[in-house]
Amino acid sequence: MKYASNMKSMERELHCPVCTEMVKQPIILPCQHSVCLLCAAEVLIQRGYPPPDLPPEPNSPAASPNTRSPRGARRPPPKTTDRLDRVLRPGFGTYPGRRRRDMSPAPMLFPCPSCHKEVELGERGLTDCLRNLTLERIVERYRHTVSLGSVAIMCGFCKAPQSLEATKGCADCRSNFCNECFKLYHPWGTLRSQHEHILPTNNFRPKVLTCLEHEQERLLWYCRSCQRLLCPLCKLRRIHHGHKVAPIAQACQALKDKITKEINYILANQDTVKAQITQLESAITHMELNSVLAREQLSQSVRELGASLAERQGALTLALEGARLRRGEALLAQVSERRGLQEHGGLMAYTQELLKETDQPCFVQAARITHNRYGLVKAIENVQCFSLSADPSFRHFHMDASRELKVISNMEYIRAPLAPVIDTQRTLAYDQLFLCWRLPQDSAPAWHFSVEFQRRMGLTEAGWGGEVRSPNAPVAWQRLEEVGGTSAVIDRLEMDSVYVLRVKGSNKAGFGEYSEEVYLHTPPAPGEIHTQTP
């Protein structure tokens, strides 16, 4: 039951990304994704390419004289489906940018629906794509494990009125048989008795993969450099000279071991995966709640900013109103003074009569009193040196808010620091590691930094396909937390070792991105230094 459940859950892996149905005659694109052969042909025709030369796929051996029925009836060849007719119909599409007499067509580009990339098929188009026989076998096993309500497959050699349901299929004869017909066609003691029998199917496939360029040549090698299967003739080509080529059995076993190890690791850590799923679901819930809180905080910050602006506007309005009142009072005082000069007409007449006095002592006495009492000198000075006692323009009360507007327009959430840039000129390694770095100019400030380092050891590991590589096996990262400056010193190191270092900054928004990793090699211990004497 568990196996059937797993088979049912993998159904989505067996669907063609173009027609979203079970794949039929899948081919492998250069991007390693699989699509139905007819779906790929339809896509190419819709893009304006000529109808491709699809390989024939007979459903019974009746088309061959060597597999003719002993009951005397040659079965008619299977009718091509409407979909295949539409794909193979000549003149259905036109090749973009190709003239009628062009001898070297441009390579075809196929839009892969899985990776959304334009993959190059080559000049021969779909002919250069290998069939995914493994996927076909998985689909057949899936169809027989999980009931899909498919139509029963009938024997291809029973007479029409009494046709029986097929129970076996022959991979060599490429046909389906009932029990009686299978025994009749594969008698004991003949070569046909050694044919491989499989489950009934309407989609026979070749027993082995053969080279697309060299017919009947089996693919016996794998080029790790090109990541392609090779036949013995392809292996001798100059294009693969110097490449890492391994036997197909070695590459197959290495890849199987690698995938088995990875699958076993995943299966052995199902509890960990479930815990991680629970943690992710909890993180999604907290993320939604935190987003609501962040939205509320944003609204609160904007409201506080608006309240502060309103308060500041009130204070500036009061200052403007006070200046208006003071200036108005000063100007009104000047107006009253000027109007007083116009209203004292009796004083002007009295002064004119006073000037008619001929007695000099009497005139001096009366003129001095009049002069001091009415302030004629001051009135004359005011008339001669008239100026406004207050500025009516209010030009000093114009407010320049360009800086504040720029600050408001640049308002954004707090950003974490960008990835620091390590100064390789000042970063050294001896018995200690001296690491220096700086932040980019457009980076947000950092409150402190975290310096991480690890020691790498050279180990030999066999990769799939027989590849032998010597990567640096990583050890756990060690950290220097909350480094205040832009430099750090790391001690207690292993001599003659390679260390990898990286830095990241932190502020209120959290940690930023890591810097590029730098590799430093500590010198060997003094006892391990060997000098060569001449």
Side-chain angles (χ1 to χ4, degrees), residues 9 12 39 47 109-110 176 220 239 257 272 311 326 403 446 474 486 498 515:
S9 63
R12 61 178 179 271
C39 292
R47 292 174 66 90
L109 297 178
F110 184 86
N176 301 305
L220 303 177
I239 190 175
D257 294 342
T272 304
E311 181 181 358
R326 291 191 299 271
R403 183 180 61 181
T486 57
V498 175
S515 66

Side-chain angles (χ1 to χ4, degrees), residues 337-338 341 374-384:
E337 181 181 357
R338 294 308 184 273
L341 293 178
Y374 297 102
L376 295 179
V377 177
K378 184 177 180 180
I380 293 173
E381 291 179 356
N382 291 335
V383 173
Q384 292 178 347

Side-chain angles (χ1 to χ4, degrees), residues 420-438 451-453 486-490 493 499-503 515-523:
V421 179
I422 296 180
D423 189 354
T424 56
Q425 300 294 331
R426 301 170 56 191
T427 299
L428 305 173
Y430 191 59
D431 55 346
Q432 296 176 328
L433 298 180
F434 300 93
L435 183 64
C436 298
W437 64 89
R438 58 178 175 83
V451 180
E452 299 183 2
F453 62 97
T486 57
S487 63
V489 178
I490 304 173
L493 305 175
Y499 283 86
V500 186
L501 300 95
R502 61 186 184 183
V503 188
S515 66
E516 293 186 359
E517 296 180 352
V518 294
Y519 293 77
L520 297 178
H521 190 187
T522 57

